[in-house]
Amino acid sequence: MTARDATRARFVAGWSSVSPAETEAAGMALANFVPPDTVLALHGGLGAGKTTFVRGLAKAWGVREPVVSPTFNYFLLYHGTRQLAHLDAYRLTRPADADSLLIEEFLESPWCLAIEWPENLGDRLPAGAWHFDFAAPEETRRVITLQ
């Protein structure tokens, strides 16, 4: 089994994390296998670890600036070996609101678009997006599952 297959299998089974550092490490592990120009749909409630996971992606791609939740900005762009666009769709009231963000105008290949609260985008979410569920079954444990 290749490293890519092992990582995928671990996410399909549910990657378990008991600390922010482990959740970040999960993002770093995934970063090695995300193809260029990919959308990641990150489903899960508040505090489930979505932004921490994105921080791991950024770290793996050499982003040096702090990665924070883009809730009040809607999206933030980070540049490393790959461009990372981090979108928080929580405050979008209807899918059409995403069009006014013009995020596709800012994407430079190779990019990754990580979307928190993707259900708020409705049919505007690309068909090829990778969907991850973030659950917090216990106060300190997170489970990240690739759908």
Side-chain angles (χ1 to χ4, degrees):
M1 178 181 282
T2 66
R4 178 186 180 109
D5 292 338
T7 299
R8 178 176 169 70
R10 188 165 177 194
F11 277 109
V12 168
W15 187 303
S16 186
S17 163
V18 294
S19 71
E22 287 184 8
T23 301
E24 192 174 294
M28 291 177 71
L30 181 70
N32 294 318
F33 306 109
V34 175
D37 307 343
T38 298
V39 173
L40 304 179
L42 311 177
H43 303 268
L46 292 170
K50 299 179 299 290
T51 297
T52 302
F53 182 80
V54 172
R55 193 172 296 125
L57 292 169
K59 187 182 246 184
W61 290 326
V63 172
R64 296 189 185 273
E65 63 217 86
V67 173
V68 297
S69 177
T71 301
F72 297 105
N73 300 67
Y74 290 107
F75 72 92
L76 296 169
L77 297 174
Y78 301 98
H79 299 276
T81 57
R82 176 183 304 206
Q83 183 189 52
L84 174 61
H86 185 193
L87 170 65
D88 187 331
Y90 183 77
R91 294 188 312 132
L92 297 181
T93 57
R94 56 193 179 97
D97 291 344
D99 297 340
S100 66
L101 298 176
L102 302 173
I103 196 165
E104 62 277 350
E105 299 293 322
F106 296 97
L107 296 177
E108 299 171 6
S109 191
W111 52 263
C112 176
L113 171 57
I115 304 172
E116 297 189 31
W117 305 95
E119 54 277 359
N120 290 352
L121 296 180
D123 64 352
R124 284 173 169 69
L125 194 62
W130 295 18
H131 292 263
F132 290 86
D133 289 319
F134 287 73
E138 299 162 22
E139 188 175 324
T140 59
R141 189 166 75 95
R142 304 294 181 262
V143 178
I144 306 162
T145 307
L146 175 62
Q147 295 180 5

